[in-house]
Amino acid sequence: MPEAPSLPPPENLLRHTTSPYLLQHADNPVHWRPWGPEALAEARATGKPILLSVGYAACHWCHVMAHESFEDPETAALMNRLFVNIKVDREERPDIDALYMNALHLLGEQGGWPLTMFLTPEAEPFWGGTYFPPEPRWGRPSFRQVLLGVAEAYRKEGGKVAQNVAALKGALTRMAAATPGPLPIEATFNRVALGLVRATDAREGGLVGAPKFPNPPIFRFLWQMHHRLDQPACAEVVHLLLRRMSQGGIYDHLGGGYARYSVDAIWLVPHFEKMLYDNAQILELLALAHAGAPAPLYAARAAETVGWLEREMLTAGGAYASSLDADSEGEEGRFYVWTEAEVDALLPPEEVALFKATYDVTAQGNWEGKTILNRRRHPQRLSDDAEAILARCRRILFEARASRVPPGRDDKVLADWNGLVVAALARAAAVFDRPDWLAHARRAFQFVSETMCAPDGRLLHAWRAGRAGAAGLLEDHAAMARAALALHDTTGDRTYLERAATWAGIADRYFAAPEGGYYASAADATDVLIRGRSAVDNATPSGNGLMAEVQARLFLLTGDDRWRKAAERTIGAFAGHEGIAAMPTLLAAADLLAEGATVVVAGDPGHGTAQALARTALAHPDPALAVLRAPDPSALPAGHPAHGKGPVGGRPAAYVCRAGTCSLPATDPTTLRRALARRAAPLGDEVATTA
């Protein structure tokens, strides 16, 4: 007889991992296993169903369920007896999280974390939920009741389980299928953009209702549509969102940075965790909005957010950590909130009244008897003298807050989230004229591209404590390729362009689907039941949307038609989906491909005029453009519309090239700004046929 496979010891194996979230559970009496082939093999060998628990380090309700259930010896004993228990950090394995979250939605349940799913030994989902209390409450059964009920159903009702498995697997497979259609046209952009505008809160900004999320992919698309459609409302909703959030409680008025969402409809009470991806995307939105309508508020919030990134999120390698927890000392928000007595004791008597009136500090507080600092009721800038007093008061409170126990930090480095930060820093550096921010971007890019690179050239997804936490995913290669192109635009360094093209090629090799678009997981992933493929944006832009943008930008910069065809294939794989309104990043890429401009700066890049022209292009508010420096325009590929178009009278000149034609040369920033303003109008008699 063949030997039975050796099984891992009956103990918690999470201590061998690097994920801060998994390490939070390393001392649980549960015999946790990290997700992977070994855990799945154990389930097959024992025949036990799998209890899959997914969360992340900054998740408040994950902490609650851990304290109530996973730290309880009796509950743990039940879990160990009935299931193979697997923990997943959703930030390390977003592909696994997305697959089983989709299964939960198909069961008719609202998603969220902690995600609790029950799987067959073959990792097939058959039932699930999110948080379960230790005792029956709120109409939910207790977690122990759930454990016993699911185990009994799995043992005695195999037919029903098999029916659920078949239905869910079929639906998940269909969700990963292509939905081809023609490329979006003007009517599509108009319908989606105006539909999203109607869904916004006309008073408070953001989407209607509570809880309120920033939803950066939606509002970045609307900003781009303002330029495409010449619809002022598309820009107005972006400005309203940024103003309300930036003066609300969701923003940390002492330390900078935005929380993940507000639990109410007025941006007052945040869910206090701070995520790297939110702040990256909001920073880019602030830069775009400031480029379109300069405002001291945008400049201040951008500088404060970058300050927070450098002070609290920077890792030893120069890249950025993932998140800050919502909790400290076991309480949500404890680090951030104040009582009136604390404020009175710390601030100068002659200044405290102004601060309290401006920042909503009262005896009763505005949240559970405490105060969340905000300027919702007094958002307008006061006199310079008053603002100086407020700044001094903020510094005093910030220094006092530093003595508190801080929230935990998840210091793992994620390639895709760092890609979002790099692109945002590059954009903001140009708009706000902050070369030091560009240096930050280059430093983070270098760490990810060099340290988080596998021998075959693929990126790793996660890195911590000198070890890779997970293999690279589509989002890593797409976000980092986009970051490389942002750095190429800003610096003119061609190696960034080449790196972006390399990563786009790697995506084709390892992630491409036969019918178009890309799977989230690589072709050689051995622990994924169904490789997901989607262009739907969530809190972060979809990998397919980002890859379509990369391909469109590569086409604009190189003139190489293979990139145009690649972008069309990626966009076309999802263009027939009835829910295309949920794919704003993909739609923005389609607009970029159809109407995006390349500003070609011909001549010596070191010449003052060339630098001024490049700065003008980089600070333009329309995100649908790329910047290319051409010291020798005759060296541009023959297929590029600016091939051979050079300096004028020995001085550098800029050409705005769109849809295969280029404008007449602009030799000063004013002329270039005028050419860029003609976003959707045909170039007509401004087409340049000679240099």
Side-chain angles (χ1 to χ4, degrees):
M1 292 180 62
E3 290 187 17
S6 61
L7 297 177
E11 61 185 22
N12 189 329
L13 301 182
L14 297 185
R15 69 180 187 278
H16 303 298
T17 66
T18 61
S19 157
Y21 173 66
L22 299 186
L23 291 172
Q24 287 174 358
H25 295 267
D27 294 327
N28 293 167
V30 179
H31 296 162
W32 289 118
R33 279 79 174 95
W35 180 274
E38 298 84 1
L40 300 179
E42 179 184 351
R44 291 192 294 270
T46 61
K48 288 183 179 181
I50 294 168
L51 190 163
L52 175 66
S53 178
V54 184
Y56 57 102
C59 169
H60 172 71
W61 285 102
C62 300
H63 302 331
V64 173
M65 191 166 177
H67 297 323
E68 292 176 341
S69 295
F70 303 148
E71 295 172 7
D72 176 62
E74 291 185 22
T75 304
L78 198 59
M79 294 170 66
N80 297 335
R81 177 167 62 85
L82 298 175
F83 300 95
V84 171
N85 302 288
I86 302 180
K87 259 285 174 199
V88 168
D89 179 343
R90 69 173 293 259
E91 295 171 359
E92 275 197 341
R93 292 303 303 266
D95 54 340
I96 299 300
D97 174 59
L99 175 68
Y100 294 107
M101 188 64 76
N102 284 336
L104 182 67
H105 292 157
L106 290 167
L107 289 167
E109 297 287 334
Q110 185 175 356
W113 296 275
L115 172 63
T116 308
M117 289 298 294
F118 296 92
L119 322 177
T120 71
E122 300 298 325
E124 303 157 321
F126 63 89
W127 194 78
T130 53
Y131 164 81
F132 291 102
E135 305 296 336
R137 68 172 77 121
W138 309 315
R140 291 172 180 250
S142 75
F143 187 49
R144 277 188 271 184
Q145 287 175 325
V146 169
L147 296 173
L148 291 167
V150 169
E152 183 174 6
Y154 182 77
R155 188 174 65 253
K156 294 183 178 179
E157 300 181 40
K160 289 184 179 179
V161 170
Q163 187 176 10
N164 265 21
V165 164
L168 288 172
K169 283 182 69 176
L172 290 169
T173 300
R174 289 190 294 275
M175 288 177 73
T179 49
L183 297 183
I185 58 175
E186 188 87 357
T188 306
F189 292 121
N190 201 66
R191 172 177 58 81
V192 172
L194 295 186
L196 289 171
V197 167
R198 287 192 293 272
T200 62
D201 184 332
R203 179 180 175 83
E204 297 294 340
L207 299 183
V208 170
K212 257 188 176 1
F213 288 83
N215 294 304
I218 289 175
F219 289 92
R220 188 188 181 281
F221 166 72
L222 288 174
W223 183 262
Q224 189 167 323
M225 287 300 98
H226 163 60
H227 297 275
R228 166 72 184 246
L229 304 172
D230 194 25
Q231 288 279 3
C234 291
E236 289 165 3
V237 295
V238 176
H239 286 299
L240 181 61
L241 168 80
L242 292 175
R243 289 197 304 269
R244 292 289 193 267
M245 283 202 311
S246 295
Q247 298 292 48
I250 192 174
Y251 183 74
D252 180 358
H253 291 265
L254 300 184
Y258 296 80
R260 191 163 76 93
Y261 65 90
S262 70
V263 301
D264 52 36
I266 57 174
W267 305 112
L268 173 61
V269 179
H271 189 40
F272 290 88
E273 65 201 45
K274 292 182 186 176
M275 312 303 294
L276 183 65
Y277 60 77
D278 282 321
N279 285 279
Q281 295 176 92
I282 293 170
L283 176 62
E284 184 171 2
L285 269 181
L286 287 167
L288 290 169
H290 188 80
L297 177 64
Y298 298 159
R301 295 296 179 260
E304 291 158 0
T305 298
V306 175
W308 166 74
L309 286 170
E310 290 296 300
R311 186 183 64 251
E312 299 186 32
M313 303 302 284
L314 190 63
T315 67
Y320 295 97
S322 297
S323 65
L324 292 183
D325 207 329
D327 299 5
S328 55
E329 300 183 78
E331 292 183 24
E332 184 179 11
R334 182 184 178 102
F335 182 75
Y336 297 102
V337 298
W338 298 87
T339 64
E340 184 184 45
E342 289 172 328
V343 173
D344 285 339
L346 288 164
L347 297 185
E350 68 276 12
E351 298 178 351
V352 69
L354 174 65
F355 184 86
K356 286 164 48 175
T358 306
Y359 284 94
D360 195 22
V361 180
T362 61
Q364 65 271 22
N366 53 30
W367 179 65
E368 298 183 357
K370 305 287 182 66
T371 290
I372 298 167
L373 299 179
N374 72 93
R375 291 187 66 160
R376 289 188 62 254
R377 295 178 182 173
H378 301 279
Q380 300 305 316
R381 181 175 174 82
L382 305 180
S383 69
D384 289 347
D385 288 344
E387 289 294 343
I389 291 172
L390 294 174
R392 187 160 57 245
C393 291
R394 290 197 302 271
R395 284 194 298 272
I396 293 170
L397 294 182
F398 175 75
E399 290 168 4
R401 194 177 77 174
S403 65
R404 297 176 176 177
V405 176
R409 185 177 81 150
D410 186 331
D411 62 351
K412 68 177 177 290
V413 174
L414 298 177
D416 55 343
W417 294 6
N418 271 268
L420 296 176
V421 175
V422 169
L425 284 169
R427 169 81 66 178
V431 171
F432 295 106
D433 191 21
R434 292 294 301 263
D436 53 325
W437 296 359
L438 181 59
H440 301 335
R442 298 182 77 156
R443 178 196 62 206
F445 182 89
Q446 182 177 1
F447 178 86
V448 175
S449 60
E450 294 180 1
T451 306
M452 298 176 64
C453 186
D456 62 5
R458 276 187 278 180
L459 289 166
L460 302 170
H461 174 61
W463 181 270
R464 184 178 181 272
R467 289 169 54 192
L473 301 168
L474 170 64
E475 283 78 2
D476 301 307
H477 296 86
M480 282 297 292
R482 178 175 177 266
L485 292 176
L487 287 174
H488 168 264
D489 280 5
T490 310
T491 67
D493 186 340
R494 189 171 177 82
T495 59
Y496 290 121
L497 178 65
E498 294 165 353
R499 185 65 64 90
T502 297
W503 283 329
I506 285 173
D508 280 334
R509 193 172 312 129
Y510 291 100
F511 297 92
E515 313 89 347
Y518 298 85
Y519 294 112
S521 308
D524 56 0
T526 59
D527 58 356
V528 181
L529 179 68
I530 296 168
R531 294 169 72 200
R533 173 176 46 169
S534 173
V536 172
D537 293 322
N538 292 299
T540 55
S542 72
N544 276 288
L546 290 174
M547 187 54 69
E549 179 184 340
V550 166
Q551 292 162 337
R553 288 190 180 278
L554 285 170
F555 170 62
L556 294 178
L557 289 165
T558 67
D560 189 335
D561 205 50
R562 71 184 172 111
W563 295 119
R564 178 188 61 79
K565 292 177 180 176
E568 288 182 348
R569 182 173 170 82
T570 303
I571 297 163
F574 305 97
H577 199 290
E578 62 181 11
I580 198 168
M583 307 175 186
T585 302
L586 188 83
L587 286 170
D591 169 57
L592 177 68
L593 183 65
E595 288 198 355
T598 309
V599 179
V600 180
V601 182
D604 177 10
H607 193 284
T609 298
Q611 293 177 351
L613 292 169
R615 283 196 301 269
T616 299
L618 291 167
H620 194 266
D622 187 352
L625 60 83
V627 180
L628 178 65
R629 293 158 182 83
D632 179 11
S634 64
L636 290 174
H640 198 287
H643 175 78
K645 292 178 170 54
V648 174
R651 296 186 63 198
Y655 299 84
V656 179
C657 303
R658 186 180 280 123
T661 59
C662 297
S663 68
L664 290 170
T667 55
D668 62 84
T670 300
T671 306
L672 177 56
R673 277 191 288 268
R674 200 157 46 233
L676 286 169
R678 297 177 174 86
R679 160 76 145 100
L683 293 172
D685 59 0
E686 292 209 0
V687 172
T689 56
T690 66

